[in-house]
Amino acid sequence: QEIPADRFVEHKAAPGVTLKVIAGTVGGVTGPVTDIAVDPVYVDLRLEGGAAHRIDLPAGHQAFAYLFGGAARIGGTDVTAGHLALLDSGDHVAVTAGPEGAALVIIAGQPIKEPIARYGPFVMNTREEIEQALDDFRGGKPAA
């Protein structure tokens, strides 16, 4: 989806906590990315040093958090910048920033429960589908 940057609005969720909802609804704020089959929640979260916040997630969604700045305790585990935290199924994730603050994304969606094969930028269900995608790409065939 092509959405202009000004549609992604930052919200002060609590003292020291700023979030930008990309997709889904968090804290009554709905992001501009819509109509995706797995009903994703995608949140850009910034916390000042020591700030804590809880993000409610839809029941049954699988989630992960990627920390790209600072350090945080995410769902009971200490995580540093450049690391991904796979989250247990649940209805929320709790985040507490380290002393220098934290910048992260939290992404959740309904599990599709299908096999995954990947190679470079291609993600399909089987190795044969990957090979077909590579052949199509090399042959200049447009994506379906």
Side-chain angles (χ1 to χ4, degrees), residues 105-125:
V105 291
I106 297 172
I107 301 173
Q110 296 171 350
I112 57 173
K113 298 180 181 173
E114 294 181 7
I116 296 174
R118 65 178 187 246
Y119 181 81
F122 299 99
V123 179
M124 306 297 248
N125 295 113

Side-chain angles (χ1 to χ4, degrees), residues 1-139:
Q1 297 179 15
E2 190 169 334
I3 298 172
D6 64 355
R7 297 257 328 269
F8 300 98
V9 180
E10 282 190 358
H11 299 276
K12 275 293 215 187
V17 179
T18 304
L19 60 84
K20 192 183 298 185
V21 180
I22 310 301
T25 301
V26 174
V29 177
T30 300
V33 176
T34 59
D35 300 322
I36 297 177
V38 296
D39 190 28
V41 172
Y42 187 146
V43 181
D44 180 319
L45 181 63
R46 310 296 170 105
L47 298 107
E48 294 176 7
H53 195 65
R54 174 185 154 141
I55 301 281
D56 291 326
L57 300 172
H61 275 41
Q62 287 296 134
F64 67 88
Y66 179 75
L67 195 72
F68 55 89
R73 188 160 192 73
I74 302 172
T77 300
D78 291 328
V79 182
T80 57
H83 290 89
L84 180 111
L86 293 176
L87 305 172
D88 293 333
S89 292
D91 60 359
H92 72 276
V93 60
V95 181
T96 303
E100 70 278 10
L104 63 147
V105 291
I106 297 172
I107 301 173
Q110 296 171 350
I112 57 173
K113 298 180 181 173
E114 294 181 7
I116 296 174
R118 65 178 187 246
Y119 181 81
F122 299 99
V123 179
M124 306 297 248
N125 295 113
T126 66
R127 181 73 188 161
E128 292 76 24
E129 289 174 339
I130 292 287
E131 290 171 10
Q132 183 63 55
L134 286 167
D135 289 345
D136 291 348
F137 177 74
R138 290 180 188 125

